[in-house]
Amino acid sequence: MKKYILIVPILLLILHNNFNGQGNLYKIYINEFMASNSRTILDEDFNEYSDWIELYNGGESAINLNGFYLTDNTLNPSMWKIKFDLIVAPKAFVLFWADGKDTLNHTNFNLSKEKEEIALFDYELKAVDEVKYDSMSADISYGRFPDGDLNLFYFDHPTPRSKNLSGSLDVIPKPHFSIQRGFYPMQQTLLLTCEDPTAEIKYTLDGALPTDSSTNFSLPIDLTKTTVVRAFATKQDCIPSEVVTKTYFINEQTTLPVVSIATDPKNFWDDKIGIYVVGTNGVSGYCVNSPRNWNRDWERPISLEFFEDGGTPGFNLDAGMKIGGGCTRKYPEKSLAIYARSDYGTSKIKYNIFKDKPMQSVNNILLRNTGQDWWRTLIRDGLMHTILIGQMDIERQAYRPAIVFLNGEYWGIHDIREKHNEHYLESNFGINPDSVDILVDNADVKNGKADHYKNLISFIKSNDIKQSANYEYVKTQMDVDNYINYQIAEIYYANIDWPGGNIKYWRPQKPGAKWRWILFDTDLGFGAHQQGQYNSNSLENATSPVETYYANPPWSTYLLRTLLSNTDFKNDFVQRFAMYMNTTFKAERLKPIIDSIIAVVAKEVPRHKAMWPESMSFGPTWESQLNIVYEFAEKRSGFVIDHLKNKFGISGTANLAIKNPELNKGKIFVNTVEVKDGNFTGIFFKEIPIHLKVVPNAGYKFTGWSGVTNSTSDSIAVVISGDSEITASFEVETSVQNEIEKYDFKLEQNYPNPFNPVTIINYELGITSNVTLKVFDILGNEIATLVNEEKPAGSYRVDFDASKLSNGIYFYQIKTASFVQTRKMILLK
């Protein structure tokens, strides 16, 4: 049987004697505390389940604690000061909430569920009492028995503000479930057992945490429908086991990943504490003038289980949950923000949720209701972020549509998204979340400070940015390339909630760090709003010196319109915009991506609509709303070209053919955008410099340009007045000629491409290799493994039959110990 380790009384005595040489003269004790409060007691001020610390006056006289200090770090004894008269009578108790709120009896720190210490100091910063502890379980308290004694125990029946009851050291093992969580085609029978045959097992089927008064397991549980089973084992005079939660999906069919959430129904629906209801304890805001519970920043404990598409279990954890989003909180289906915290068990979700990013863990995720596109297509925001994969240097949010079940009830389509906060930057860039500045809107602080950014804006206001030296300084303070990409994406998407809203930018707190911008909440783009259609001039909105609609106040357009006064910035902005419309935003590329995402969610749309009838109601049918998306993709570029020409007085456009006959030898970049086609032709603006740069691959060298220029420089600017052509040439470095020939690896472009439904993939191995060749969909999900074996050096052909797949973009990747390459293919039936 598992044992908790007691703090030995003699050690406690030594600790107390070290404090003041005479023991606890005040007779004030840290008597009981809870470092993981998921259901035990709500605080009266904020209606949250917060950590708490109970003090006990074991003396014969009343004591005023005004001026005393509480801390969770004895090296910082003055961490939190009691700043009001708090008189504790003899043999009385007082409770403090360790929730970080720093007001009245709420401290400015939280307790860790893992190993930590709590200490009390008097007004002279002399130590009064201290308790050290190891890992704590949820809703188990730790304290003295009897009250004020040196002996410390764990309590499964916590008693905040009252006398401690007899504690325990023994912990009952968790119950065993006879069948695993997951999907089953028909009714199942579940048995619950425990290693300790004398223990009782208590369980619930409604999502609530089981308690001593819950149903006692005695007969098999018949699972006739989708059900969440939560159970724990208990025994008199022992600490009960942790709660085990498992979801059983009975006769459920979906092609999407599934998230199952279990929580006490009161956490959602209770009038006083429920976070999903109007309720009776709310506040106004988020586009609603009347009080609403869902506007509260309340966090409730949950158990979460994730299943991959196909039903394979992915991960499960206990976590916290809040209502997410802004004004979309008032929608019938709400976004749910999930927080992994050590208070619940683990501080990270250690699982690669998003296949298009290499992150193996995240701190929190958002189960998003698709934002304002909830009324339209459900796919817009995810689509716009997906379009940018591998295309633009922008902080985008990963996207994965999924189905949510709440306490066993189908709850519809939700997008699994990264939350764009300091932990997002930690996961994506390895940034210390405690050392980063994050600003929103007009330099409002979300994390860190705004001083650096405000200094930058002050510099721009005080200096002529048309001057090269001043512009060069600005480039040392902000990542101009990232900023241009961000502006291009938002302007192309015609996001009508921007630039005065949905703007967030960040920098690490270290010398030389630059500001970068995060793309998020684009759901009112891509034709969703009447002011953001394919022909809308969002360039003018983003650069207007006066407010022309609700989302472009002058502060929000100041930086872009001022930087555009600099010729170098303007020229790069204009030609890079052209390059992205030739590549990233080209209609021929966008339509298969749209097809791919629609194919992922289409089968689930009818059931979602039945659950939420108001969803997708802006239009006669879902298909009619999707037609607006397709039309935007088809027509948007032509209008943006005209907007740019008119804005900057450009005479016209011309075609530039950029040729790279041997892509394996080197890369060409146009205004920082890679040319991935060896025989590329794009539309560019006349009389504006086009910047071209070559980067040879390992073992090759650049030999020069031919066509519109014969320069041998690897970085050039060309100006065209009519249709033109330029070719880059490379050759093998003599010193590595033989090695390249000996160890050459290649993955050829499939042909035909686009294809229907069979295509051919050729590849070459320079040496004997363990090789895999796999196919992935647009969201990074593995579709097929075509090769997985050791093969000798040579040339190979693979025929790929996609007859069972939907139209769209797919990727195929070859991987050996020394070579990885990925290519794109398009299925059009």
Side-chain angles (χ1 to χ4, degrees):
M1 183 172 290
K2 182 178 177 183
K3 299 281 186 180
Y4 281 100
I5 299 174
L6 272 179
I7 295 178
V8 180
I10 192 169
L11 174 60
L12 286 176
L13 184 59
I14 292 172
L15 288 173
H16 286 298
N17 286 338
N18 284 341
F19 270 179
N20 52 33
Q22 303 178 41
N24 190 333
L25 297 180
Y26 289 100
K27 303 301 182 183
I28 290 288
Y29 299 95
I30 299 168
N31 198 56
E32 186 182 7
F33 67 90
M34 182 173 287
S36 179
N37 174 22
S38 70
R39 59 171 173 169
T40 299
I41 181 174
L42 278 168
D43 82 72
E44 304 86 347
D45 301 314
F46 298 98
N47 282 291
E48 294 180 349
Y49 291 100
S50 301
D51 306 337
W52 50 268
I53 302 167
E54 176 196 79
L55 301 185
Y56 169 69
N57 182 2
E60 302 299 326
S61 302
I63 296 176
N64 189 348
L65 295 181
N66 192 350
F68 278 53
Y69 298 87
L70 275 169
T71 182
D72 66 347
N73 181 359
T74 54
L75 298 178
N76 183 12
S78 62
M79 180 175 290
W80 184 74
K81 183 178 183 179
I82 301 171
K83 299 178 181 178
F84 57 97
D85 286 333
L86 182 58
I87 299 173
V88 186
K91 313 304 179 186
F93 306 87
V94 62
L95 201 67
F96 294 90
W97 299 99
D99 56 8
K101 298 188 184 299
D102 193 18
T103 179
L104 295 178
N105 63 330
H106 297 258
T107 73
N108 62 355
F109 61 87
N110 301 80
L111 298 181
S112 171
K113 192 178 179 183
E114 305 305 320
K115 186 175 182 178
E116 201 174 54
E117 59 190 358
I118 307 170
L120 176 69
F121 291 82
D122 69 11
Y123 56 88
E124 294 181 332
L125 289 178
K126 292 180 180 179
V128 176
D129 194 18
E130 179 188 32
V131 173
K132 295 182 178 180
Y133 63 92
D134 292 319
S135 178
M136 299 286 292
S137 298
D139 297 295
I140 300 296
S141 65
Y142 192 48
R144 305 182 185 281
F145 181 76
D147 297 316
D149 195 78
L150 294 179
N151 292 304
L152 297 170
F153 294 88
Y154 293 89
F155 303 103
D156 62 321
H157 292 285
T159 56
R161 296 195 185 99
S162 61
K163 183 178 180 180
N164 288 346
L165 305 176
S166 178
S168 177
L169 302 178
D170 294 333
V171 181
I172 302 299
K174 294 185 292 187
H176 172 72
F177 288 51
S178 63
I179 56 176
Q180 292 302 311
R181 59 171 57 88
F183 289 75
Y184 295 90
M186 60 186 68
Q187 175 178 334
Q188 299 293 306
T189 299
L190 174 65
L191 300 177
L192 303 177
T193 56
C194 181
E195 291 178 16
D196 185 342
T198 64
E200 290 185 328
I201 299 175
K202 304 288 186 177
Y203 73 93
T204 63
L205 304 178
D206 65 350
L209 281 166
T211 65
D212 288 339
S213 60
S214 297
T215 303
N216 186 46
F217 177 81
S218 58
L219 297 173
I221 302 171
D222 291 327
L223 303 171
T224 60
K225 62 183 182 65
T226 297
T227 306
V228 176
V229 182
R230 312 190 76 180
F232 77 102
T234 184
K235 183 178 177 181
Q236 189 173 359
D237 297 327
C238 294
I239 299 297
S241 76
E242 295 180 12
V243 174
V244 179
T245 303
K246 295 191 178 186
T247 303
Y248 299 96
F249 300 92
I250 307 300
N251 194 27
E252 299 280 4
Q253 295 181 347
T254 180
T255 58
L256 293 179
V258 172
V259 178
S260 174
I261 293 172
T263 191
D264 190 322
K266 292 180 181 178
N267 290 331
F268 263 60
W269 315 122
D270 183 81
D271 279 345
K272 183 178 180 181
I273 69 169
I275 64 175
Y276 216 95
V277 295
V278 172
T280 58
N281 198 19
V283 294
S284 59
Y286 296 111
C287 304
V288 177
N289 294 325
S290 301
R292 298 289 187 266
N293 278 20
W294 63 61
N295 283 337
R296 291 280 195 181
D297 187 34
W298 288 341
E299 183 171 318
R300 298 293 181 250
I302 65 166
S303 176
L304 183 147
E305 300 165 271
F306 174 79
F307 300 83
E308 292 285 356
D309 43 323
T312 303
F315 67 89
N316 59 280
L317 80 163
D318 292 330
M321 182 177 65
K322 298 180 180 181
I323 298 298
C327 293
T328 58
R329 292 165 181 254
K330 65 181 182 179
Y331 294 1
E333 180 189 17
K334 306 181 192 310
S335 296
L336 304 172
I338 308 299
Y339 297 86
R341 303 191 195 279
S342 58
D343 282 352
Y344 301 110
T346 178
S347 61
K348 292 184 182 293
I349 301 172
K350 298 178 180 178
Y351 189 82
N352 182 215
I353 301 173
F354 305 107
K355 306 307 180 183
D356 62 308
K357 289 192 176 184
M359 302 176 303
Q360 297 304 310
S361 66
V362 294
N363 286 73
N364 33 56
I365 57 174
L366 184 65
L367 301 175
R368 195 167 187 260
N369 62 359
T370 74
Q372 296 187 70
D373 199 44
W374 186 81
W375 302 97
R376 300 166 177 87
T377 72
L378 305 180
I379 70 166
R380 272 191 173 90
D381 190 50
L383 166 67
M384 284 180 268
H385 286 255
T386 301
I387 287 170
L388 303 182
I389 295 176
Q391 299 291 311
M392 278 187 170
D393 177 26
I394 296 181
E395 278 75 296
R396 62 174 181 84
Q397 291 173 272
Y399 159 68
R400 198 170 183 194
I403 300 303
V404 169
F405 281 79
L406 178 59
N407 287 343
E409 182 180 353
Y410 177 85
W411 214 247
I413 296 172
H414 295 66
D415 292 342
I416 308 177
R417 309 300 299 270
E418 298 172 278
K419 282 186 64 63
H420 38 87
N421 56 16
E422 66 273 19
H423 297 297
Y424 166 92
L425 300 175
E426 178 186 23
S427 299
N428 283 269
F429 300 99
I431 302 296
N432 183 347
D434 296 324
S435 302
V436 63
D437 296 328
I438 304 177
L439 308 181
V440 298
D441 302 332
N442 192 13
D444 296 334
V445 175
K446 292 294 287 185
N447 200 82
K449 298 179 180 179
D451 296 355
H452 186 280
Y453 184 79
K454 289 181 177 179
N455 289 339
L456 170 61
I457 297 301
S458 294
F459 176 86
I460 294 173
K461 289 181 177 180
S462 303
N463 295 272
D464 185 2
I465 298 305
K466 295 177 184 178
Q467 300 298 317
S468 295
N470 293 330
Y471 177 52
E472 289 302 315
Y473 173 77
V474 169
K475 289 164 69 175
T476 69
Q477 305 299 296
M478 59 181 281
D479 188 331
V480 171
D481 284 334
N482 166 266
Y483 181 72
I484 290 175
N485 291 341
Y486 171 77
Q487 293 289 329
I488 287 172
E490 291 278 17
I491 290 168
Y492 176 85
Y493 287 150
N495 182 9
I496 201 65
D497 259 355
W498 175 90
N502 296 346
I503 178 171
K504 184 173 289 189
Y505 36 111
W506 68 280
R507 67 177 288 276
Q509 294 172 348
K510 63 181 182 180
K514 301 178 182 182
W515 289 97
R516 291 176 60 90
W517 278 256
I518 300 174
L519 188 75
F520 72 102
D521 279 13
T522 60
D523 37 271
L524 270 190
F526 230 90
H529 193 278
Q530 61 182 3
Q531 290 180 262
Q533 297 299 303
Y534 60 80
N535 58 352
S536 296
N537 194 341
S538 46
L539 173 63
E540 192 59 36
N541 288 339
T543 57
S544 175
V546 297
E547 185 170 347
T548 59
Y549 77 112
Y550 72 89
N552 72 335
W555 69 260
S556 68
T557 66
Y558 174 78
L559 183 57
L560 178 59
R561 58 186 158 88
T562 303
L563 289 174
L564 283 170
S565 69
N566 180 276
T567 301
D568 289 342
F569 180 92
K570 181 200 70 174
N571 289 346
D572 192 11
F573 175 83
V574 166
Q575 294 291 32
R576 197 185 307 184
F577 214 143
M579 185 58 183
Y580 277 127
M581 286 189 291
N582 290 322
T583 55
T584 302
F585 301 129
K586 194 173 183 178
E588 290 81 356
R589 176 179 182 268
L590 296 181
K591 289 180 180 179
I593 296 176
I594 298 169
D595 289 343
S596 296
I597 293 179
I598 291 173
V600 169
V601 301
K603 292 182 180 179
E604 201 63 44
V605 164
R607 189 178 185 186
H608 175 92
K609 179 72 173 176
M611 175 68 191
W612 305 107
E614 293 178 74
S615 183
M616 300 171 286
S617 61
F618 281 17
T621 63
W622 183 52
E623 290 74 16
S624 68
Q625 287 294 307
L626 293 175
N627 287 337
I628 297 173
V629 174
Y630 281 111
E631 184 180 37
F632 189 97
E634 176 69 32
K635 298 179 178 180
R636 177 62 173 165
S637 289
F639 284 93
V640 172
I641 290 285
D642 288 341
H643 299 156
L644 287 163
K645 287 194 298 185
N646 294 335
K647 175 73 174 178
F648 300 109
I650 301 171
S651 60
T653 60
N655 292 317
L656 176 63
I658 303 172
K659 298 190 176 184
N660 185 6
E662 297 178 280
L663 284 171
N664 62 308
K665 294 183 178 180
K667 298 179 174 64
I668 303 175
F669 295 86
V670 178
N671 289 81
T672 75
V673 183
E674 183 180 354
V675 181
K676 299 180 180 180
D677 186 346
N679 191 22
F680 168 85
T681 298
I683 299 173
F684 294 90
F685 294 102
K686 294 180 180 180
E687 313 304 335
I688 303 287
I690 306 168
H691 291 277
L692 294 97
K693 181 179 178 63
V694 295
V695 178
N697 290 338
Y700 298 93
K701 65 180 181 180
F702 174 65
T703 58
W705 303 95
S706 60
V708 70
T709 180
N710 293 317
S711 173
T712 58
S713 174
D714 61 0
S715 182
I716 61 172
V718 298
V719 177
I720 60 174
S721 56
D723 292 348
S724 305
E725 180 180 306
I726 191 168
T727 301
S729 297
F730 302 87
E731 66 179 27
V732 178
E733 291 275 13
T734 303
S735 61
V736 295
Q737 173 87 41
N738 294 334
E739 289 300 310
I740 288 179
E741 291 178 352
K742 182 178 180 181
Y743 300 114
D744 198 16
F745 292 84
K746 291 183 181 178
L747 178 63
E748 303 289 352
Q749 184 64 52
N750 67 300
Y751 68 92
N753 189 44
F755 67 99
N756 176 26
V758 178
T759 190
I760 298 168
I761 300 172
N762 289 321
Y763 65 94
E764 295 181 15
L765 303 177
I767 57 175
T768 299
S769 305
N770 286 310
V771 58
T772 61
L773 180 62
K774 296 184 177 182
V775 179
F776 301 87
D777 66 16
I778 191 69
L779 297 179
N781 300 309
E782 183 179 323
I783 299 299
T785 297
L786 307 182
V787 180
N788 185 14
E789 60 183 310
E790 182 178 277
K791 286 183 172 292
S795 299
Y796 296 91
R797 164 179 166 159
V798 176
D799 293 345
F800 175 51
D801 185 349
S803 57
K804 295 183 179 180
L805 300 179
S806 303
N807 284 350
I809 290 179
Y810 295 88
F811 298 90
Y812 59 103
Q813 181 186 80
I814 191 171
K815 182 182 293 187
T816 72
S818 59
F819 177 71
V820 177
Q821 188 173 357
T822 304
R823 289 187 178 273
K824 178 178 69 177
M825 57 185 172
I826 301 174
L827 174 61
L828 291 178
K829 296 182 179 179

